[in-house]
Amino acid sequence: MSETDDRPMLAVRLDNLFKTVRPKGKHWTNAEVAEELKRANPELKVGGVYLSQLRTGKRSNPSPDLLAALARFFGVSVAYFFDDQVAESVLSEIAAIEALRQAGVRAVAMRAAGMRKENLEAITTIMDQYRQLQGLPPVDDSSEPE
């Protein structure tokens, strides 16, 4: 979130989901998400305009059922909307997924799958050298599982 963003945290976090998470591989409009939510939960009262208002901060008190439905739709925990640690974890995962979407990154990852650890370390070293040559920042993968 940028320091100049004065929207409520719920609005910022919901907007981030719309902008970065792609259920079924596509970006969804407010109206499309509302329709999907109502299809999955017919008694839920939601529309595209209301979702837009939640994303901009013009409305800020969605029902628990709506928050649960939004969390399910975007594949996150409801805690994402309220808990800073959960939100940070989700945003990190989203960033990693977005990096994989970039042209060529997925192809590299698919080729690396199943390779021996020592081969992956050699490839990683080469990639780090190329990142440095291009002026890109180093990758901190110290929190990655072994």
Side-chain angles (χ1 to χ4, degrees), residues 50-68:
Y50 184 64
L51 290 179
S52 175
Q53 292 171 335
L54 287 174
R55 290 175 67 186
T56 60
K58 290 178 182 164
R59 300 287 297 268
S60 60
N61 195 18
S63 71
D65 288 342
L66 177 56
L67 283 180

Side-chain angles (χ1 to χ4, degrees), residues 110-121:
M110 290 181 69
R111 284 172 176 78
M115 295 182 82
R116 292 193 309 241
K117 183 178 180 178
E118 57 271 14
N119 293 15
L120 289 174
E121 288 171 353

Side-chain angles (χ1 to χ4, degrees), residues 41-142:
N41 191 354
E43 66 277 0
L44 193 64
K45 302 292 185 212
V46 62
V49 172
Y50 184 64
L51 290 179
S52 175
Q53 292 171 335
L54 287 174
R55 290 175 67 186
T56 60
K58 290 178 182 164
R59 300 287 297 268
S60 60
N61 195 18
S63 71
D65 288 342
L66 177 56
L67 283 180
L70 285 164
R72 270 192 309 276
F73 179 79
F74 286 108
V76 299
S77 165
V78 174
Y80 163 81
F81 295 112
F82 306 105
D83 185 306
D84 290 343
Q85 285 183 310
V86 171
E88 185 177 321
S89 174
V90 167
L91 293 175
S92 293
E93 290 176 22
I94 290 170
I97 291 167
E98 188 60 33
L100 287 174
R101 284 192 186 115
Q102 291 180 13
V105 174
R106 185 168 187 237
V108 171
M110 290 181 69
R111 284 172 176 78
M115 295 182 82
R116 292 193 309 241
K117 183 178 180 178
E118 57 271 14
N119 293 15
L120 289 174
E121 288 171 353
I123 292 167
T124 301
T125 299
I126 293 167
M127 291 176 76
D128 286 342
Q129 291 170 351
Y130 275 103
R131 286 184 64 82
Q132 186 176 15
L133 287 171
Q134 292 184 13
L136 296 170
V139 173
D140 178 15
D141 56 5
S142 60

Side-chain angles (χ1 to χ4, degrees), residues 19-35:
K19 289 178 178 176
T20 58
V21 179
R22 297 180 185 158
K24 299 181 184 176
K26 70 175 212 151
H27 281 290
W28 294 74
T29 66
N30 295 321
E32 290 170 334
V33 171
E35 286 305 311

